[in-house]
Amino acid sequence: MPQSSPASGEESPGAVAARLTGRAVTGVRPLSGALAEAALDDGRTVVVKRAEEAEAARAAAAGLRWLAEAGAPPVPRVHGREGAWLVLDRVAQGRPGREAALRFGRELAGLHAAGAPAFGAPPPGGPVEAFIGLAPMRNVTGDDWPSWYAEHRVLPYLRRAVDAGTTGAGEAAVVERVCARLPELAGPAEPPARLHGDLWSGNVLWGADGRVRLIDPAAHGGHRETDLAMLALFGCPLLDAVLEGYQEVAPLAEGWRERVGVHQLFPLLVHAVLFGRGYAGQALGAARSALSL
C-alpha cells in the first residue's frame, strides 16, 4: 500500500489507534515513517498505517474485508479506516513450514473459488481508481479475460513505461503482440476469481501459529493463475508445497506452467514503471517466452 510520513502537526498514530479501536494506547513503536505499532491497554498490539492518499487506504481496507469474507487464508482484522489512516491487528510472525505451506495452498484455492462479479471488479466499497503498491490500478470490469487483461492490466503500464523511456518502441511491440494473441495464449476460459492481486512474498506472512496471513492486497476479480504467477515471480518460500496444496483443492488447467510468463507481464510492467529498466527487461523476456508457446 502506498505510504508516506505524517506531516508536522498531523495526528499521531497513537491517537488514531485509540479512536479506531476504542481502547487506551499505552505505547507506540514507530516502524517506518508511515507505519507504527500501538500497544493497547487490553494487552493487544495493532498496526497503524498511513497511506499517501485516502483512496489507497479505502482500497486496502475494502480489499482485506473482501478477502476475509472468503474465510481463508486469514487476513489481519481491520479495526477501522479514517482518511488515509488504517488500523489493523498485528500478525505475530513465525517461520515457513511445509504444513503451513500446504494449508496456505488449499486456502488460497478457496479464496479464488469465492469468485468475483467480473474481471476487474473491485471489492465492495472499494474504489475503481485503486492501487497496486505505489502505482495506480483501475478496476474497470470486463467479461472476457484476455481482452480485459490486455486493456486494463498490461497496456496501461506498457504505455507509461514507453513514455518514461524505460521501454523502447521495439520492445513494446513484442508485448503488444502478446496482447493480440492472448485469446489463444490464455488457456481454457475460467470464471473470475477473487484475487489478492499483489501476491508477492512480502505480502505473505508466516504466522507464529502455523498459518499464513495475507496483507496489503490490490484485490479485484481476475484470473487465478495471476496470483500464482506473482508468488513465483518474487520467490515465495516453499512454493512447491503451496502449489501442491492448491492443486489438491482446485487443479489448474493443463499448460498452466507455460502460461506463467503471460501472467507475470502485469506485475513486471508495474515494477518497470515504479523501479526502472531492470524490470522492463524481465517483462520483455516474459513476453518473448509467451510468444514461443
Side-chain angles (χ1 to χ4, degrees):
M1 183 178 71
Q3 298 171 352
S4 66
S5 299
S8 177
E10 290 191 351
E11 196 163 26
S12 70
V16 173
R19 186 164 56 254
L20 293 183
T21 63
R23 307 295 310 193
V25 171
T26 60
V28 174
R29 183 168 74 97
L31 302 176
S32 70
L35 191 67
E37 289 182 351
L40 307 180
D41 64 351
D42 61 2
R44 292 177 298 154
T45 300
V46 294
V47 172
V48 185
K49 295 185 175 185
R50 193 181 194 282
E52 286 195 355
E53 300 181 29
E55 287 297 88
R58 181 161 79 97
L64 286 169
R65 289 177 174 131
W66 195 44
L67 299 187
E69 287 176 4
V75 299
R77 175 189 170 194
V78 179
H79 288 276
R81 196 272 302 181
E82 183 178 87
W85 292 100
L86 190 63
V87 177
L88 311 166
D89 274 343
R90 183 187 64 171
V91 177
Q93 294 191 53
R95 298 175 62 84
R98 176 171 169 78
E99 289 306 313
L102 288 167
R103 181 171 184 172
F104 172 42
R106 298 180 192 115
E107 292 180 337
L108 184 60
L111 170 64
H112 290 164
F119 297 111
V128 170
E129 302 295 338
F131 295 86
I132 178 167
L134 291 168
M137 183 183 78
R138 300 197 73 224
N139 283 326
V140 177
T141 60
D143 297 323
D144 173 68
W145 184 80
S147 59
W148 170 84
Y149 183 67
E151 183 177 356
H152 299 293
R153 289 296 181 267
V154 175
L155 293 176
Y157 303 98
L158 179 65
R159 296 184 190 111
R160 290 184 64 181
V162 170
D163 290 345
T166 303
T167 300
E171 295 169 329
V174 177
V175 177
E176 289 167 346
R177 287 201 295 275
V178 174
C179 290
R181 288 186 56 194
L182 274 174
E184 66 182 274
L185 299 176
E190 295 201 1
R194 187 171 305 192
L195 297 191
H196 176 280
D198 192 9
L199 200 56
W200 72 288
S201 57
N203 288 337
V204 176
L205 300 186
W206 300 80
D209 61 356
R211 296 189 73 184
V212 166
R213 285 165 178 76
L214 303 181
I215 63 169
D216 292 348
H220 62 278
H223 196 299
R224 61 188 179 133
E225 291 178 19
T226 303
D227 262 357
L228 298 177
M230 193 175 292
L231 276 179
L233 180 59
F234 296 113
C236 176
L238 300 172
L239 180 58
D240 286 347
V242 174
L243 292 172
E244 181 182 336
Y246 191 100
Q247 297 258 48
E248 288 176 8
V249 175
L252 294 159
E254 184 177 353
W256 70 270
R257 290 187 185 275
E258 289 72 32
R259 292 189 293 272
V260 167
V262 171
H263 292 272
Q264 288 180 344
L265 271 178
F266 165 47
L268 283 171
L269 286 168
V270 170
H271 278 68
V273 167
L274 294 176
F275 305 116
R277 177 66 194 169
Y279 288 104
Q282 289 187 53
L284 179 63
R288 286 175 172 157
S289 174
L291 289 172
S292 69
L293 294 179

